Amino acid sequence: MSNNDRRPSEWHPSTIPPDEQRRWERAAAIGFGSVEPDDHWSVDQIEDLGRRAWAVEDAGVIVGTSADLVWHLTLPGGATMPVGAILAVTTRATHRRQGVLRSLMSAQLRAMATEGLAAAVLTASEGTIYGRFGFGVATSQHRLEAPVHGHGLDHVRPGRIELDDASVFRDEIVKFRRRSARHRPGTLERPEEWWDQLVLGDQVSFEGGGPQFVSLHRDDQGEVDGYALWRTEGLWGERTIVIRELHTIDPAVELALFRHCADIDLATSVRWDTAPADSPIPAATTDPRRCHVTGVRDQLWLCPLDVSALLAARTYGAPLDLTLRVDDHASGWSAPTIALRLTARPGEQAEVEVLDETPPSRSQDPQPDLVCDRTTLGMAVLGTTPWSTLVAAGRASVSNPAVARAADAAFASHPPANSQDYF
């Protein structure tokens, strides 16, 4: 196997059929530093899931991997749209910085764009990898921590909560999450196979799995109105209750479930790594130095593929009438520069008029109201980063400051986007 310097044009990514993916899964595991994969998918499971595996080979050895699925993403306003979810991206250590990743991303994004998908999404192992391919941070997660029995939430009414092994409540939490998904932009649809193989599977991985508990909250009529999926970490007497995900559409239920987890015996602390920006917990505690946000990190990254379709699918929170140019600064795939006009009324989807996909020189065209690249649009489209912030950061430019203020109001999402998905 050669590890000489190669140009991206010399690599030829190809898709791997399901009956050959055992070899691909082992190559992906090696790329992540393991000898064998944490989970094994049968041919039937791969076909049911719709996973498409990509590989770059050198002398018959897979040296680069990636895969994609079509899932549905919730947008501001509650509409969902199919997006390409990219996962298992690896490059073997012998072939780093030789264009393997660029060739894979180019092939995948071109294929998705050809298939009519409006966006691609992924979760990143490192923060410096995907911006150059047109991905921007579309959702962030807040880490909330509190000591057990010292959380300052004693005034919160716990309500009716049931606790058991996660498998006991499997059907109820799957049904509730599906029902509540449209209330939170940034949420991804989970196929049944993903729940059973990964989220609630036997093997522990970053997607979930292993011994886990569910605390299920019910309303006065006995209907599920929220749940927390959690596990314990650490030694006996020093355990941390780690909330993998907490889903509800009722802030009072969110408070009750967090307080419940913070009252579990034989643990010293509780930690929720995937909390949304609008969680009421930090404001509800009577001890904000002990029950507080201890970190913020990126979660879902989004690359706009069909800019006009993506912008037309969501609703807007304020009147909008502007011209936008999205420049092609993505490397490795041929994303066209596009100019368009956006008009929308509050609470409605936008009318999008494509002005040009190969715009003439800037000296001949009037200056658009707003100019950015695809990475920047990925940061703004779900409302996570205000346009005024992106302008201040040098990522976008506006014809006058009023444009940024108007775009801030229109693109803001209520509730804020959040993703508690790992893939």
Side-chain angles (χ1 to χ4, degrees):
M1 177 172 52
S2 168
N3 62 353
N4 296 326
D5 289 344
R6 299 276 291 272
R7 294 190 301 273
S9 60
E10 296 175 343
W11 301 116
H12 302 287
S14 60
T15 57
I16 305 296
D19 59 355
E20 296 181 19
Q21 289 197 38
R22 177 72 184 89
R23 183 169 69 99
W24 177 90
E25 287 177 347
R26 186 171 181 275
I30 290 173
F32 283 122
S34 301
V35 175
E36 293 291 334
D38 292 331
D39 49 81
H40 296 283
W41 296 83
S42 69
V43 172
D44 288 343
Q45 287 176 319
I46 292 170
E47 291 177 340
D48 289 343
L49 193 64
R51 187 183 74 183
R52 175 171 56 182
W54 295 81
V56 166
E57 299 191 46
D58 190 0
V61 175
I62 296 178
V63 297
T65 69
S66 188
D68 53 64
L69 308 158
V70 177
W71 284 351
H72 281 76
L73 174 70
T74 300
L75 302 175
T80 66
M81 72 183 315
V83 297
I86 297 176
L87 61 152
V89 181
T90 74
T91 302
R92 194 164 290 216
T94 52
H95 287 69
R96 298 258 166 84
R97 293 180 174 82
Q98 295 178 41
V100 172
L101 173 61
R102 184 174 298 179
S103 69
L104 283 165
M105 284 289 104
S106 176
Q108 277 189 286
L109 295 175
R110 277 202 307 266
M112 290 177 183
T114 300
E115 292 159 358
L117 294 174
V121 296
L122 54 78
T123 56
S125 57
E126 298 178 24
T128 58
I129 300 174
Y130 296 103
R132 64 183 182 271
F133 301 113
F135 286 87
V137 177
T139 74
S140 59
Q141 298 176 332
H142 288 62
R143 176 184 295 154
L144 284 170
E145 296 189 63
V148 167
H149 304 307
H151 42 64
L153 297 171
D154 295 324
H155 59 287
V156 172
R157 294 178 64 251
R160 178 181 169 187
I161 296 176
E162 301 171 17
L163 187 159
D164 213 320
D165 176 87
S167 62
V168 173
F169 297 123
R170 184 266 185 205
D171 291 346
E172 289 186 283
I173 67 174
V174 170
K175 181 180 178 181
F176 177 78
R177 189 184 186 277
R178 187 179 298 122
R179 190 171 75 244
S180 63
R182 293 196 177 192
H183 292 271
R184 178 67 72 173
T187 302
L188 287 165
E189 167 197 50
R190 282 184 193 155
E192 297 281 333
E193 295 82 6
W194 198 264
W195 277 100
D196 294 331
Q197 185 79 358
L198 296 176
V199 179
L200 301 177
D202 295 331
Q203 298 294 322
V204 177
S205 68
F206 71 93
E207 297 102 337
Q212 297 178 97
F213 299 91
V214 163
S215 296
L216 195 72
H217 196 283
R218 297 187 186 275
D219 63 19
D220 293 339
Q221 286 71 47
E223 297 295 324
V224 175
D225 58 1
Y227 73 89
L229 175 67
W230 56 274
R231 61 160 56 107
T232 61
E233 291 183 359
L235 301 174
W236 182 272
E238 299 179 355
R239 288 177 175 169
T240 296
I241 305 298
V242 179
I243 300 172
R244 292 283 302 178
E245 58 184 68
L246 192 160
H247 286 288
T248 182
I249 60 175
D250 186 340
V253 174
E254 181 176 322
L255 288 168
L257 283 167
F258 189 84
R259 182 208 163 157
H260 158 80
C261 290
D263 279 340
I264 293 173
D265 290 331
L266 303 178
T268 59
S269 63
V270 61
R271 190 180 82 234
W272 181 17
D273 292 329
T274 59
D278 64 340
S279 173
I281 294 167
T285 180
T286 59
D287 192 344
R289 292 190 179 182
R290 303 188 74 195
C291 178
H292 59 153
V293 174
T294 60
V296 180
R297 59 156 290 168
D298 60 275
Q299 179 57 11
L300 194 71
W301 293 62
L302 185 147
C303 173
L305 300 175
D306 185 335
V307 172
S308 59
L310 181 61
L311 291 172
R314 60 155 293 174
T315 63
Y316 295 84
L320 186 65
D321 186 358
L322 60 80
T323 52
L324 167 68
R325 189 178 74 229
V326 181
D327 290 335
D328 173 19
H329 289 168
S331 83
W333 68 291
S334 52
T337 293
I338 182 170
L340 46 82
R341 185 178 199 90
L342 273 175
T343 56
R345 290 183 292 188
E348 296 183 5
Q349 294 176 321
E351 293 184 11
V352 181
E353 178 189 0
V354 177
L355 303 176
D356 205 334
E357 286 195 290
T358 54
S361 67
R362 298 180 188 181
S363 61
Q364 297 176 358
D365 259 9
Q367 177 69 15
D369 297 320
L370 177 59
V371 179
C372 68
D373 61 13
R374 287 172 189 265
T375 296
T376 302
L377 182 59
M379 300 169 72
V381 70
L382 298 186
T384 294
T385 306
W387 283 106
S388 56
T389 301
L390 295 167
V391 170
R395 287 184 169 273
S397 61
V398 291
S399 56
N400 66 76
V403 171
R405 292 193 294 270
D408 284 351
F411 276 77
S413 175
H414 304 287
N418 176 250
S419 174
Q420 300 189 59
D421 297 289
Y422 291 88
F423 56 96

